[in-house]
Amino acid sequence: MNSKKTTIHDIAEKLNITASTVSRALNNNPRISEATKKTVLDMARSLNYQPNNLAAALRKGKSQLIGVIVPTINRAFFSSVIRGIEELANKLDYRVVVSQSNEDVDNEIATLNALINARVDGILVSIGKNTKQFGHYQELIERGIPLVLFDRTTNEISTSQVVIDDFVAGYMATEHLIKQGCKKIAHITNYHKVNIYKERYRGYLEALKDYNIPFEKSLVLEGNMQLEDGRECTKQLIASGEEFDAIFSASDYAAMGAMQVLKEKNIKIPEEVALVGFSNEPFTSFTDPPLTTVDQFPIEMGQAAAELFFEILNSTKKKIIPQKTVLHPELIVRASSLKKGK
Amino acid sequence: MNSKKTTIHDIAEKLNITASTVSRALNNNPRISEATKKTVLDMARSLNYQPNNLAAALRKGKSQLIGVIVPTINRAFFSSVIRGIEELANKLDYRVVVSQSNEDVDNEIATLNALINARVDGILVSIGKNTKQFGHYQELIERGIPLVLFDRTTNEISTSQVVIDDFVAGYMATEHLIKQGCKKIAHITNYHKVNIYKERYRGYLEALKDYNIPFEKSLVLEGNMQLEDGRECTKQLIASGEEFDAIFSASDYAAMGAMQVLKEKNIKIPEEVALVGFSNEPFTSFTDPPLTTVDQFPIEMGQAAAELFFEILNSTKKKIIPQKTVLHPELIVRASSLKKGK
DNA sequence: TTGTAAGCGTTATCAC
DNA sequence: GTGATAACGCTTACAA
């Protein structure tokens, strides 16, 4: 039905030159005269030529495609990181293919294989919460496929990574609450399998220590960091009868759950309980009161990850020394933690 | 550095058979004996063979890749639609490549070309707000590349599409407000270039008419449907001195902006002004009061779009008759529009 | 500056 | 059932 697609051979034929000349002209090869370049380009346009990147990729052994795996794109944080990656990649004429693992290990492996089979030139990944084995990533490195980790990383594979300083972030959040006069600060965190939560927790502990606030194990709640988990943790906390005057949640969603429960119980925020979340998801500025949170600079994170990626890709060395970029977080103070007169 | 990748030729050589047999065995061709299939599969595994989809795609003329273009992935609505598309696509062994147009026409065209050059087997797209020319899409159809539109569609190109019944949605939202006793219902909408906003507006008008409520042009505000625009529109509305007892915003974000301004002016929601948004973005259930909104069943929309897509792809007919799937929206009633005693 | 020819890894077609 | 061969559309030595 549709006329056959134009190839460089069609252009060559029309112009009475060879396909290689056409190829070189289209690729702006310096050894081709400006005159032929122009005629080729014109003919290409008039025949509505669309290069077959597949063929080029096959021939060159590289696809100009880079794969990104994230737990979900349905988070402002991740979609912003992706935008950051795309910015640099597109500038360098690379396309970005995004896949979601949905926090599922099998899915993560399947999606990884699919990307490899699609011959991406490398992969950037934020590891799922439940992924405990990293063999599939280790294999990539051994096969010489560039790999960069971001945000949800692990030290079990030796490759470049980008994170924010989650320790400092946890410290800042806790310190802020302390400076607001809070003395009994609860913390909602994940089972410490994932680096980021472990670090935020360490920051929390360190701040307590530095300000001589006794650590209470009963104030540390563990959950899966979704809204519902935040609700559960907060209900438990209240039911436990344990006194608390602040909650630092390592996730905005869990913080939102906490806010809901506190409001349902008519506990005033921030007067009775101050609240701090994590990630600066857009909705945090819409809540009532607006939620204090930590900005992770996702776009910058994406850019940094892409930079490390292209460093590996363009490296001629056999052995690549893994780099680690650490971004500095920023506390966004809003009404949920601002006590009057402070 | 890494040992050369294994190809079907390597497997063939080891097994003293030909590459074609290997290819057939791997593709589970019925004319290959079970015995050879097994030995080939075993050898493939032990050599850690990874098929080169690029080469297969080049030879077969199809890539098993489908492209999706959305204005932004940073919206729960769009990322859910994408998930819906992926569900069906992955089941059929297709990969989904997502690109963002960022509501920019040039970007939309560039990204479209990039996908075509990457040899996707077809494209699903939600058109950017500012796109007024559709030549680049028309061209696709003429070239026989399957194209499906979803949500942000246009009737200017003759191809399959999936939408929700925005007219009914607009009607339902307005009717709901009327039944709550509202008589002066403002409407925040987009300059009616985009189908969806036009339809929601039509629904608004129709409901007013059916309930004999006089239409007031001054109650219709136009903006770009972001939070800031919602704020602006609401400020204007208040400044105009025009009386109003409800706002129906055709976007959750603009509704959020309206809510902020109303609260800043100490206007009680819903007692003095009832508020309804559109899209059921997750944050709408977090606001105070929670926002009444319209659910668009994004996952179902994605699935429906993928279904129409594969219908076109698998059609052997020269001329494909465009299908249109219309999903039924659902009003999610929350406190922002629920008057006491109703 | 341009042409020739080989090859990237598959699969389709035709043999046997 | 399996083998031989060509071809998908492009790039790139090597030649000229």
Side-chain angles (χ1 to χ4, degrees):
Chain A
M1 49 186 145
N2 57 321
S3 50
K4 292 250 351 97
K5 282 163 191 151
T6 341
T7 73
I8 51 171
H9 292 100
D10 301 326
I11 301 177
E13 198 178 359
K14 292 259 184 193
L15 259 34
N16 266 317
I17 53 177
T18 64
S20 32
T21 307
V22 174
S23 168
R24 284 189 272 247
L26 291 172
N27 288 303
N28 206 14
N29 185 313
R31 303 193 316 189
I32 296 289
S33 75
E34 287 305 320
T36 35
K37 268 184 200 169
K38 189 177 169 351
T39 49
V40 167
L41 248 39
D42 287 349
M43 183 56 76
R45 217 185 315 274
S46 81
L47 292 181
N48 192 20
Y49 168 73
Q50 298 284 343
N52 187 331
N53 289 356
L54 238 53
L58 177 59
R59 177 61 235 250
K60 290 195 291 198
K62 53 201 302 277
S63 61
Q64 302 281 117
L65 224 58
I66 67 188
V68 175
I69 304 177
V70 289
T72 169
I73 56 171
N74 189 358
R75 277 276 185 290
F77 172 70
F78 286 119
S79 51
S80 299
V81 174
I82 291 168
R83 193 144 72 225
I85 296 172
E86 281 178 341
E87 269 176 26
L88 182 56
N90 291 346
K91 215 173 284 174
L92 299 176
D93 258 313
Y94 277 76
R95 288 281 116 195
V96 175
V97 193
V98 180
S99 281
Q100 318 188 50
S101 67
N102 296 318
E103 308 277 12
D104 177 88
V105 192
D106 293 338
N107 205 332
E108 191 175 309
I109 295 175
T111 218
L112 179 66
N113 284 330
L115 289 173
I116 296 302
N117 292 352
R119 285 305 190 266
V120 293
D121 290 338
I123 290 191
L124 295 98
V125 107
S126 192
I127 300 171
K129 269 204 203 73
N130 309 312
T131 304
K132 295 307 299 164
Q133 303 288 338
F134 307 102
H136 46 301
Y137 291 118
Q138 193 56 51
E139 215 176 279
L140 281 196
I141 299 171
E142 280 154 20
R143 288 170 57 196
I145 298 174
L147 173 69
V148 170
L149 308 179
F150 61 90
D151 193 50
R152 308 259 205 91
T153 67
T154 172
N155 295 325
E156 301 206 11
I157 24 185
S158 159
T159 192
S160 292
Q161 49 176 271
V162 183
V163 293
I164 65 150
D165 194 328
D166 283 290
F167 170 77
V168 164
Y171 190 98
M172 279 167 36
T174 312
E175 184 180 41
H176 163 71
L177 287 168
I178 294 170
K179 289 192 170 166
Q180 294 296 310
C182 303
K183 302 233 183 296
K184 303 209 159 259
I185 303 169
H187 180 43
I188 302 179
T189 181
N190 191 252
Y191 320 96
H192 297 146
K193 293 171 190 160
V194 186
N195 264 356
I196 54 172
Y197 298 114
K198 194 158 39 184
E199 287 298 299
R200 292 170 197 175
Y201 178 59
R202 275 217 308 126
Y204 163 78
L205 291 179
E206 187 83 359
L208 291 183
K209 207 172 105 194
D210 284 359
Y211 286 86
N212 292 313
I213 296 187
F215 165 68
E216 301 271 0
K217 197 170 185 328
S218 50
L219 287 178
V220 176
L221 294 314
E222 290 188 351
N224 200 30
M225 311 315 278
Q226 301 303 304
L227 184 133
E228 205 39 61
D229 307 295
R231 290 186 61 96
E232 269 321 303
C233 289
T234 310
K235 280 184 188 163
Q236 277 173 33
L237 185 61
I238 293 172
S240 76
E242 195 74 43
E243 265 187 65
F244 65 103
D245 53 15
I247 301 178
F248 163 39
S249 161
S251 136
D252 280 335
Y253 282 85
M256 188 62 226
M259 185 183 286
Q260 289 180 347
V261 171
L262 292 174
K263 286 166 89 169
E264 284 162 20
K265 305 271 183 193
N266 285 316
I267 297 173
K268 289 211 169 55
I269 308 169
E271 291 80 0
E272 297 176 69
V273 171
L275 190 57
V276 174
F278 208 107
S279 280
N280 198 15
E281 286 284 329
F283 72 79
T284 54
S285 65
F286 303 161
T287 56
D288 186 28
L291 186 64
T292 294
T293 185
V294 177
D295 194 78
Q296 302 173 274
F297 299 98
I299 298 208
E300 285 79 359
M301 182 176 283
Q303 290 169 333
E307 272 166 31
L308 292 185
F309 175 83
F310 286 111
E311 254 174 49
I312 302 178
L313 193 70
N314 298 326
S315 160
T316 49
K317 304 205 195 81
K318 289 140 224 306
K319 195 90 186 142
I320 293 132
I321 299 151
Q323 308 281 329
K324 183 166 185 170
T325 302
V326 180
L327 301 175
H328 201 78
E330 188 182 310
L331 188 72
I332 312 282
V333 178
R334 300 206 185 95
S336 74
S337 68
L338 257 194
K339 304 235 178 174
K340 299 230 177 68
K342 291 276 168 176
Chain B
M1 53 184 144
N2 56 321
S3 50
K4 292 249 356 97
K5 283 163 189 151
T6 8
T7 73
I8 52 172
H9 290 101
D10 301 327
I11 301 177
E13 197 178 1
K14 291 258 183 194
L15 257 36
N16 266 318
I17 54 178
T18 65
S20 16
T21 308
V22 174
S23 170
R24 284 190 272 249
L26 292 171
N27 288 304
N28 207 14
N29 186 312
R31 306 195 313 193
I32 296 289
S33 74
E34 287 304 321
T36 37
K37 269 184 198 168
K38 190 177 168 351
T39 49
V40 167
L41 248 39
D42 287 349
M43 182 56 75
R45 218 185 314 275
S46 82
L47 293 180
N48 191 22
Y49 168 73
Q50 298 284 343
N52 187 332
N53 290 357
L54 237 51
L58 176 61
R59 180 61 238 247
K60 290 195 292 198
K62 51 200 303 274
S63 60
Q64 303 280 119
L65 225 58
I66 66 188
V68 175
I69 303 177
V70 290
T72 168
I73 55 173
N74 187 0
R75 276 278 184 287
F77 172 71
F78 286 119
S79 52
S80 299
V81 174
I82 291 168
R83 193 146 71 227
I85 295 172
E86 281 178 341
E87 269 176 26
L88 181 56
N90 290 347
K91 216 174 283 173
L92 299 176
D93 257 316
Y94 277 77
R95 289 282 116 196
V96 175
V97 194
V98 181
S99 280
Q100 318 188 48
S101 67
N102 296 317
E103 308 276 12
D104 176 86
V105 191
D106 293 337
N107 204 332
E108 191 174 310
I109 295 176
T111 219
L112 178 66
N113 283 331
L115 289 173
I116 296 302
N117 291 353
R119 285 305 190 264
V120 293
D121 291 339
I123 290 192
L124 295 97
V125 59
S126 193
I127 300 173
K129 269 205 207 65
N130 309 312
T131 304
K132 296 305 300 161
Q133 303 289 336
F134 306 103
H136 46 302
Y137 292 117
Q138 194 55 51
E139 214 177 279
L140 281 195
I141 300 171
E142 280 154 20
R143 289 170 57 194
I145 299 173
L147 173 70
V148 171
L149 308 179
F150 61 91
D151 192 52
R152 308 257 204 93
T153 67
T154 173
N155 296 325
E156 302 207 11
I157 26 185
S158 160
T159 191
S160 292
Q161 49 176 270
V162 184
V163 292
I164 65 152
D165 194 328
D166 283 290
F167 170 77
V168 163
Y171 190 98
M172 280 167 37
T174 312
E175 184 180 42
H176 163 71
L177 287 168
I178 295 170
K179 289 194 171 165
Q180 294 296 309
C182 301
K183 302 233 182 293
K184 304 208 161 260
I185 303 169
H187 181 43
I188 302 180
T189 182
N190 193 251
Y191 320 94
H192 297 146
K193 294 171 190 162
V194 186
N195 265 353
I196 54 173
Y197 298 113
K198 195 159 40 187
E199 287 298 297
R200 292 169 198 174
Y201 178 58
R202 275 215 310 125
Y204 162 78
L205 291 180
E206 187 83 359
L208 292 182
K209 207 172 105 193
D210 284 0
Y211 286 86
N212 293 313
I213 296 187
F215 165 69
E216 302 270 1
K217 197 167 185 327
S218 50
L219 287 177
V220 176
L221 294 315
E222 291 188 350
N224 201 30
M225 311 313 280
Q226 302 303 304
L227 184 131
E228 207 37 62
D229 307 294
R231 290 186 61 95
E232 270 320 304
C233 288
T234 309
K235 280 184 190 166
Q236 277 172 33
L237 186 61
I238 293 172
S240 76
E242 196 73 43
E243 266 188 62
F244 64 103
D245 52 15
I247 300 178
F248 163 39
S249 161
S251 138
D252 280 335
Y253 282 85
M256 187 62 227
M259 184 181 288
Q260 289 181 348
V261 171
L262 292 174
K263 286 166 87 169
E264 284 163 20
K265 305 274 182 190
N266 286 314
I267 297 173
K268 288 212 169 57
I269 307 170
E271 292 80 1
E272 297 175 68
V273 171
L275 189 58
V276 174
F278 207 107
S279 280
N280 198 17
E281 286 284 329
F283 73 78
T284 55
S285 66
F286 302 162
T287 56
D288 186 27
L291 185 64
T292 295
T293 185
V294 176
D295 194 78
Q296 302 173 271
F297 298 100
I299 297 206
E300 286 79 359
M301 181 175 285
Q303 289 168 334
E307 272 165 31
L308 292 185
F309 175 82
F310 285 111
E311 256 174 47
I312 301 178
L313 193 69
N314 298 327
S315 160
T316 49
K317 303 203 194 84
K318 289 141 222 310
K319 195 87 187 146
I320 294 131
I321 298 151
Q323 309 281 328
K324 183 165 184 170
T325 302
V326 179
L327 301 175
H328 201 78
E330 188 182 310
L331 189 71
I332 312 283
V333 178
R334 301 206 184 95
S336 74
S337 68
L338 257 192
K339 303 233 177 173
K340 298 231 176 67
K342 291 277 168 175

